[in-house]
Amino acid sequence: MLRTDRIVGGLAILVAVFFIWRTTLIEIPFISDPLGPKTFPVIICVVLALAGLGIMLKPDAEPHWPKASGFIEVGIGIVVFIAYAELLPVLGFIIATCIAGGILAWRLGAPPVQAAIAGIGIALGIYAVFHLALGLTLAVGPLGF
Amino acid sequence: MEALSSLGDGFIVALSVQNLLLAAIGCLLGTIIGALPGLGPSNGVAILIPLAFSLGLGATPALILLTSVYYGAMYGGRISSILLNIPGDEPAMMTCLDGYPMARAGRAGEALAISGIASFVGAFFATWGLVFLAPQLVDVALLFGPAEYFALFALAFATIGGVAASNQMKSLLATGFGLLIAMVGVDQQTGVTRFSFNNVHFYDGIDFLVVIVGLFALSEVFIFLEHRSGGGMDTHSVPLGRTTVTKKDLVDTTPAMARSTVVGFIAGVLPGAGASLGSFLAYTLEKKVSDKNKTFGKGDPRGVAAPEAGNNAAAGGALVPMLALGVPGSGTTAVLLSLLLALNITPGPLLFQQNPDVVWGLIAALFIANIMLLALNLPLIKLFVKVLQVPTRYLMPAVAMISFVGVYGISGSTFDLLVMIAFGVIGWLFRKLDIPLVPIILGVLLGKLMEANLRRELTISDGDWWALIDSPLAIGIWLFAVAGFVAPIVLGRFFRVKEKQPFDGETLDTD
């Protein structure tokens, strides 16, 4: 029977092998200490591979995966966050945060109007506390905030 | 007493207006963070560290702010345990057992008052323990060479993995993953870049603050999104009753507090154990010692006092190895360690010699914070109960946005934000898979130091690996490390704290 943990263990071994290969590509400079920059990463990879092997051999019970809707919600969250990170320097802090905060509140179950108000409230609240009161630099947009 | 005069100097540092203000803000924020289910000491402190850093606070003020949050969260966790039977954070789990029955019996206010006093007693005496034990440990640590330090890091990983995780192999995987992240970037000794994949952003390595905020704060937001759980807590159904303690209860619970403080402090000092284990052991012991009439679990005040004294004492105890050795004993102290490293302060024995003002100012601030917390907690309890009613659909977006603000404030780099999101997703996945996150943080923080010590030792010994176990001290530490990793496997599930959290099976294993 294929269990999630067997895949996890297998992936850990693959990652370990991949990084051991990457380690062999490191060029050792002319002057180096006896151990050099390669040994410790290799030790780590061996530990990682052993852990992966252990997990493959003795997998835990299946995790509680969410239903499809749960994955979709997380997916929406990831998209919102990435868009927020990319648009922050373009739109400026307040506009970007109003939008992102509002969408998140909406996805967590707030009705659309309340969610929009929450987004604006969060943006203005953080702006007031962290920028106006504490002087932290926030991303500046075309409108100057 | 040298420690006492140093402490006196510390009070001079801590008693400035700015520091007192920071301690007060930290206590208030911490209690709120601790009270809210979903936000605990480790993610609360994680969100605030980048902010403290980008605000340009000095080392001492920043530490005072964040350790006040840390102590405050330990106080706050009990509030929702008692009122709602949902622990506000993991260490407050045991407080549910007798706290909630007390609340059901109409004695919620009393339970909050008793646990507040127990928290104070635990934290107060643990801070005294810190004052006297830390300098002793520093004296020992000054004898440490690179081999001993290497062994010490191994000990930290082994015990955190052994005690904190339900599956040792998964904690080993997390450790390897964290250490590997630490390897990214320019090697300090030879100047070659490792694992940068020709991406300029990786030349400096991956900023541990970005990793921490992603793993601890954003992953929490993902968990809430997944469940679409945006409701608030219904605290109306529980009447508070009077919020004072009767003299009889105080007399009855005093021995419980005393025993639990000792147990909790020891649990805290041991690497890897932390506050959850402290409260668990304190409650278990107290039940063994005083449960003569089978009242535990039905609303016995001693069952509230014991775990609270225990977890607050452990919180103080966990600071001992963090400050004296530079090796954190729990998730939250690991996060605090990242603050020190971000401020370019290397914790460990030299910290006591080179920056005594930082150490002793911090310890003095802990005393002050503790008194503030006691003063805040009893009169302001109604306010904290109100905070619990804030629905998470408004709270969690704010948490996410503040995380972004903090990380953006460090570097102003979109790339860092993307790395943070990636670690948020990884954190969410790992929590689903029951892979602990604390070893990752520890690996990221300690990886470079661990490697540096290994290479230094082998440079001294000219490549002879036996030099690593050349001294009795090093051998002793290695033996402890092996025992710490193996013992929990052998002893089975004895140590495991059964968890009860809003979402089953995906708790953040930290305190």
Side-chain angles (χ1 to χ4, degrees):
Chain A
M1 195 180 90
L2 187 66
R3 291 210 196 163
T4 310
D5 272 5
R6 296 205 205 273
I7 302 174
V8 171
L11 281 177
I13 294 173
L14 284 182
V15 169
V17 170
F18 174 76
F19 275 92
I20 288 178
W21 169 64
R22 293 299 303 186
T23 310
T24 59
L25 301 182
I26 297 170
E27 281 179 38
I28 297 210
F30 186 58
I31 303 168
S32 172
D33 51 315
L35 207 56
K38 290 185 182 184
T39 315
F40 194 62
V42 171
I43 296 174
I44 296 169
C45 288
V46 171
V47 169
L48 194 60
L50 285 177
L53 194 66
I55 294 169
M56 274 182 105
L57 293 177
K58 252 188 93 186
D60 289 340
E62 281 296 295
H64 303 275
W65 289 114
K67 288 187 225 126
S69 62
F71 278 112
I72 292 170
E73 293 298 339
V74 173
I76 293 174
I78 296 171
V79 171
V80 170
F81 285 141
I82 293 176
Y84 180 67
E86 293 290 350
L87 291 178
L88 197 54
V90 182
L91 297 179
F93 173 77
I94 290 192
I95 296 174
T97 307
C98 285
I99 299 170
I103 296 176
L104 288 177
W106 172 55
R107 289 326 298 163
L108 283 167
V113 177
Q114 267 104 313
I117 296 170
I120 297 168
I122 290 167
L124 294 179
I126 295 177
Y127 190 80
V129 173
F130 292 108
H131 183 70
L132 299 180
L134 296 172
L136 193 72
T137 318
L138 300 173
V140 179
L143 303 177
F145 51 77
Chain B
M1 298 290 304
E2 203 189 321
L4 286 182
S5 75
S6 309
L7 185 61
D9 294 338
F11 270 102
I12 296 171
V13 175
L15 282 171
S16 77
V17 177
Q18 187 205 15
N19 289 343
L20 283 176
L21 200 66
L22 284 170
I25 294 172
C27 291
L28 198 64
L29 270 178
T31 313
I32 292 172
I33 286 170
L36 290 165
L39 277 183
S42 53
N43 40 26
V45 176
I47 297 167
L48 293 174
I49 281 184
L51 290 171
F53 183 67
S54 20
L55 286 172
L57 288 179
T60 315
L63 266 177
I64 287 175
L65 174 68
L66 290 166
T67 45
S68 304
V69 172
Y70 172 50
Y71 265 35
M74 289 292 159
Y75 272 76
R78 72 193 210 286
I79 297 174
S80 55
S81 295
I82 291 171
L83 292 177
L84 306 164
N85 204 20
I86 300 169
D89 47 32
E90 206 197 302
M93 220 140 49
M94 306 308 288
T95 313
C96 291
L97 296 179
D98 276 283
Y100 188 61
M102 275 186 85
R104 292 288 297 269
R107 300 171 70 197
E110 279 175 77
L112 286 168
I114 291 169
S115 56
I117 292 167
S119 297
F120 173 79
V121 170
F124 182 76
F125 288 101
T127 312
W128 276 115
L130 172 65
V131 168
F132 291 109
L133 187 61
Q136 308 290 330
L137 208 55
V138 164
D139 287 343
V140 178
L142 285 171
L143 304 171
F144 283 14
E148 284 80 10
Y149 267 106
F150 185 72
L152 194 63
F153 293 137
L155 171 69
F157 287 121
T159 47
I160 285 230
V163 180
S166 54
N167 181 340
Q168 272 75 10
M169 285 301 145
K170 288 190 169 172
S171 126
L172 201 62
L173 179 135
T175 306
F177 181 61
L179 288 170
L180 210 52
I181 295 167
M183 292 300 107
V184 174
V186 175
D187 171 37
Q188 288 155 332
Q189 291 190 38
T190 56
V192 294
T193 51
R194 295 188 287 192
F195 310 140
S196 65
F197 301 97
N198 291 323
N199 185 331
V200 185
H201 293 295
F202 285 136
Y203 284 0
D204 288 339
I206 297 174
D207 192 332
F208 45 76
L209 293 179
V210 176
V211 178
I212 288 173
V213 178
L215 284 180
F216 281 175
L218 270 199
S219 73
E220 191 73 44
V221 179
F222 282 127
I223 296 265
F224 275 88
L225 277 170
E226 174 201 327
H227 293 264
R228 277 204 84 172
S229 78
M233 301 292 163
D234 179 21
T235 51
H236 296 291
S237 54
V238 192
L240 269 184
R242 62 193 169 84
T243 51
T244 49
V245 189
T246 58
K247 211 179 217 167
K248 181 179 166 298
D249 275 347
L250 201 59
V251 172
D252 280 352
T253 53
T254 302
M257 289 183 200
R259 277 189 288 268
S260 304
T261 301
V262 175
V263 172
F265 182 72
I266 294 170
V269 172
L270 295 176
S276 303
L277 189 73
S279 69
F280 174 72
L281 291 178
Y283 184 85
T284 315
L285 177 82
E286 197 51 40
K287 199 176 166 186
K288 282 223 170 72
V289 173
S290 21
D291 190 15
K292 302 221 167 59
N293 303 324
K294 301 278 174 231
T295 48
F296 273 59
K298 292 174 191 146
D300 191 311
R302 289 170 300 182
V304 177
E308 279 306 310
N311 78 31
N312 284 275
L319 287 171
V320 174
M322 197 276 270
L323 288 173
L325 303 174
V327 177
S330 68
T332 316
T333 44
V335 179
L336 285 171
L337 176 73
S338 76
L339 172 69
L340 286 174
L341 295 175
L343 293 164
N344 259 332
I345 295 173
T346 314
L350 293 179
L351 178 63
F352 281 74
Q353 294 179 334
Q354 291 166 353
N355 303 76
D357 52 324
V358 173
V359 182
W360 293 104
L362 167 68
I363 294 174
L366 290 177
F367 280 110
I368 296 168
N370 208 8
I371 291 166
M372 281 182 181
L373 278 166
L374 184 68
L376 277 178
N377 251 278
L378 297 182
L380 290 185
I381 198 76
K382 295 218 166 72
L383 171 80
F384 294 129
V385 173
K386 276 256 161 13
V387 171
L388 281 181
Q389 294 163 3
V390 175
T392 43
R393 59 178 170 268
Y394 304 126
L395 179 77
M396 279 299 149
V399 167
M401 299 293 101
I402 293 174
S403 308
F404 276 87
V405 167
V407 168
Y408 194 78
I410 302 172
S411 59
S413 135
T414 304
F415 184 78
D416 277 355
L417 295 181
L418 295 175
V419 173
M420 174 180 80
I421 297 167
F423 276 101
V425 178
I426 292 173
W428 174 73
L429 264 179
F430 277 21
R431 284 162 75 174
K432 291 261 130 197
L433 296 168
D434 209 13
I435 299 173
L437 301 179
V438 176
I440 304 179
I441 300 297
L442 218 54
V444 175
L445 289 176
L446 301 179
K448 284 210 173 72
L449 281 170
M450 192 169 180
E451 186 190 22
N453 279 297
L454 175 67
R455 284 163 78 170
R456 207 170 295 149
E457 181 65 28
L458 288 186
T459 306
I460 298 168
S461 74
D462 206 20
D464 179 9
W465 287 81
W466 290 107
L468 287 175
I469 44 169
D470 212 15
S471 75
L473 210 52
I475 295 172
I477 300 172
W478 277 109
L479 287 177
F480 269 113
V482 173
F485 192 71
V486 175
I489 304 179
V490 179
L491 293 175
R493 310 288 123 177
F494 171 71
F495 271 117
R496 209 112 305 134
V497 185
K498 207 64 220 122
E499 290 164 18
K500 200 160 60 180
Q501 289 263 335
F503 311 125
D504 238 6
E506 51 207 37
T507 50
L508 195 54
D509 275 329
T510 53
D511 41 63

